[in-house]
């Protein structure tokens, strides 16, 4: 029996359904999904790590909620597209390249290399993105940085692969599509494409409930259901952040440093004019939820320092983790809906939501809505 074993060959993976036309159509759909996912992911990265030339608008308040929701959803939809794309080109993986010094060999080597690069980077992005949504960090590296780097590698490999395969795609798409079922199979290519589209739609609906409340009842794969303290989900709890009772107890003081420094306790903050706004928490994992927040306008706290000429505001937390500080540009700091929130949905902030004081601002990632504030610095 062992003597009959042999390595796989191209013939083992042939199917009447596979064709350059099918591969091209799936490739176009996958390319669109990857491009939209890349653009919206790049937006999120620039918001969190803004270069000097980048300016993100202060509104509408729901814009980041939409862009990040689209980012995660298109990433999820790409899973069945990627699976069918790989299935359609499976014979290519076992096609032996003739060893010779020729143009055809060079093109074949480059094509095989672009396929390997594309498959490897696509698998990495989809798998790590899926695990990030599930908050299952099974790796030692910092996810945002590596995911961002690999995204550029993926887009580069897609562009290179497209440059190599474009003539083949154009030729395949110009051919008249076959409407009959290929010999040897009970499924037509049209049915396969329709099934792939339906699989993407099912995945989208199954995960959109953490972004669109109306779909929550059918979104069985939604990451967040709305359950949590005060009806709002929590990513990072006070215990996970190492927040101690002493830090947020009766001795709590919020320091606001500018032209002069002011220290305010919780009674001082509640005595200041309060503002109530409806703003969403929109997390980088894709989930989002609207909530009602009440607190002091950040602009009013800045005014207490007599510092009216500033470029940005830095907010520091008792949380020593990577999201224990954030920067708010001047336009957003002066926005009337940017608050140091003290209550959520009509109740004093739960400790897991940042008690006694947290930032809430429009059109901003949840990771930058700093909780457990201890210091605000007005920077010229």
């Amino acid at each position: 029996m062992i003597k009959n074993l042999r390595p796989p060959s191209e013939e083992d993976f042939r199917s009447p359904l596979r064709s350059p036309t099918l591969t091209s159509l799936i490739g176009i759909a996958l390319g669109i999904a990857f491009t939209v996912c890349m653009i919206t992911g790049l937006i999120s990265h620039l918001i969190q790590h803004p270069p000097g030339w980048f300016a993100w608008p202060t509104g509408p308040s729901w814009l980041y909620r939409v862009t990040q929701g689209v980012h995660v959803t298109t990433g999820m939809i790409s899973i069945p597209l990627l699976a069918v794309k790989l299935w359609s080109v499976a014979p290519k993986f076992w096609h032996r390249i003739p060893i010779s010094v020729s143009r055809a060999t060079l093109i074949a080597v480059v094509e095989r290399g672009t396929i390997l690069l594309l498959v490897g980077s696509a698998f990495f992005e989809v798998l790590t993105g899926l695990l990030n949504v599930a908050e299952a960090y099974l790796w030692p590296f910092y996810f945002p940085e590596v995911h961002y780097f690999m995204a550029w590698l993926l887009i580069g490999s897609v562009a290179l692969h497209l440059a190599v395969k474009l003539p083949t795609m154009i030729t395949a798409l110009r051919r008249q599509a076959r409407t009959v079922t290929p010999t040897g199979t009970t499924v037509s290519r049209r049915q396969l494409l329709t099934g792939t589209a339906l699989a993407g739609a099912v995945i989208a609906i199954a995960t959109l409930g953490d972004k669109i409340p109306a779909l929550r009842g059918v979104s069985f794969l939604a990451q967040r259901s709305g359950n949590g303290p005060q009806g709002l989900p929590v990513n990072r709890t006070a215990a996970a952040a190492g927040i101690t009772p002493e830090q947020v107890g009766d001795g709590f003081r919020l320091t606001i440093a500018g032209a002069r420094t002011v220290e305010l306790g919780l009674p001082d903050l509640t005595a200041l004019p309060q503002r109530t706004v409806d703003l969403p928490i929109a997390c980088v994992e894709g989930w989002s939820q609207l909530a009602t927040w009440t607190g002091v306008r950040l602009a009013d706290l800045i005014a207490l320092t007599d510092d009216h000429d500033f470029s940005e505001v830095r907010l520091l937390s008792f949380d020593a983790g990577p999201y224990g500080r954030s920067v708010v540009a001047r336009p957003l700091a002066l926005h009337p809906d940017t608050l140091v929130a003290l209550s959520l949905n009509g109740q004093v902030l739960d400790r897991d939501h940042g008690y006694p004081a947290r930032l809430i601002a429009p059109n901003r990632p949840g990771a930058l809505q700093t909780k457990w504030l201890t210091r605000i610095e007005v920077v010229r």
Side-chain angles (χ1 to χ4, degrees):
M1 183 178 294
I2 295 179
K3 291 182 179 180
N4 294 329
L5 291 178
R6 60 176 178 79
S9 67
E10 187 175 0
E11 294 298 325
D12 295 330
F13 294 90
R14 292 204 178 277
S15 166
L17 285 177
R18 292 187 173 100
S19 70
T21 301
L22 173 68
T23 300
S24 299
L25 291 172
I26 291 293
I28 290 172
L30 185 60
I32 292 172
F34 277 165
T35 300
V36 173
C37 194
M38 175 65 182
I39 292 172
T40 50
L42 181 60
I43 289 172
S44 182
H45 180 84
L46 292 175
I47 295 171
Q48 296 179 68
H49 310 279
W53 54 267
F54 180 78
W56 182 243
T58 59
S61 62
W62 45 261
L63 182 57
Y64 180 77
R65 183 183 192 181
V66 172
T67 61
Q68 193 63 12
V70 169
H71 173 70
V72 173
T73 301
T74 51
M76 298 289 287
I77 290 174
S78 69
I79 294 175
L81 293 173
L82 181 60
V84 176
K85 169 71 172 177
L86 292 177
W87 175 85
S88 72
V89 298
K92 295 286 187 181
F93 298 149
W94 307 104
H95 178 71
R96 296 178 182 177
I97 300 175
I99 301 176
S100 63
V101 181
S102 65
R103 181 173 178 271
T105 299
L106 178 61
I107 292 176
V109 170
V110 172
E111 179 186 353
R112 187 67 57 85
T114 61
I115 290 175
L116 291 175
L117 187 62
L118 175 58
V119 171
S121 56
F123 259 109
F124 180 90
E125 287 294 272
V126 170
L127 181 59
T128 58
L130 185 62
L131 291 174
N132 177 64
V133 168
E135 294 187 318
Y137 301 107
L138 308 179
W139 45 77
F141 53 81
Y142 184 49
F143 170 78
E145 291 180 354
V146 178
H147 193 71
Y148 175 71
F149 171 79
M150 291 298 293
W152 282 111
L153 185 62
L154 173 58
I155 290 299
S157 65
V158 169
L160 186 59
H161 184 69
L162 180 62
V164 173
K165 299 298 294 182
L166 188 59
T168 303
M169 290 178 60
I170 293 175
T171 301
L173 294 174
R174 282 176 176 173
R175 294 175 181 171
Q176 184 176 0
R178 294 178 61 182
T179 57
V180 297
T181 300
T183 304
T185 181
T186 58
V187 179
S188 68
R189 294 191 185 102
R190 180 175 296 178
Q191 289 171 331
L192 178 60
L193 290 171
T194 302
T196 304
L198 288 175
V202 169
I203 288 177
I205 294 173
T207 58
L208 279 173
D210 55 11
K211 309 164 191 65
I212 304 175
L215 295 177
R216 196 164 287 160
V218 296
S219 295
F220 56 91
L221 294 179
Q223 181 198 12
R224 294 291 186 269
S225 65
N227 295 327
Q230 298 169 302
L232 189 68
V234 172
N235 265 18
R236 187 168 172 83
T237 65
I243 306 301
T244 66
E246 292 75 21
Q247 290 172 322
V248 297
D250 294 338
F252 165 78
R253 293 291 183 273
L254 176 63
T255 302
I256 305 128
R260 70 187 186 98
T261 299
V262 178
E263 286 192 357
L264 302 174
L266 185 55
D268 302 317
L269 290 169
T270 55
L272 292 171
Q274 304 289 299
R275 179 175 174 81
T276 298
V277 296
D278 292 327
L279 290 176
I281 282 286
C283 192
V284 293
E285 282 89 2
W287 68 266
S288 60
Q289 187 168 320
L290 190 66
T292 301
W293 308 87
T294 300
V296 184
R297 295 193 310 169
L298 181 58
D300 292 343
L301 294 176
I302 295 170
L304 296 177
T305 68
D306 296 329
D307 200 335
H308 305 288
D309 183 19
F310 64 95
S311 61
E312 63 185 29
V313 178
R314 297 173 185 165
L315 297 102
L316 287 77
S317 167
F318 288 116
D319 182 1
Y323 297 109
R325 58 182 299 153
S326 64
V327 176
V328 179
R330 179 185 176 89
L332 187 59
L334 295 178
H335 194 285
D337 290 346
T338 300
L339 308 180
V340 170
L342 307 176
S343 68
L344 165 62
N345 291 334
Q347 300 175 339
V348 174
L349 280 175
D350 186 270
R351 184 171 295 184
D352 285 340
H353 283 306
Y355 175 86
R358 67 166 297 162
L359 173 69
I360 186 68
N363 199 26
R364 188 171 171 85
L368 301 183
Q369 308 279 34
T370 313
K371 299 192 286 188
W372 310 293
L373 290 176
T374 180
R375 183 177 177 87
I376 299 174
E377 298 176 348
V378 183
V379 181
R380 289 181 176 271

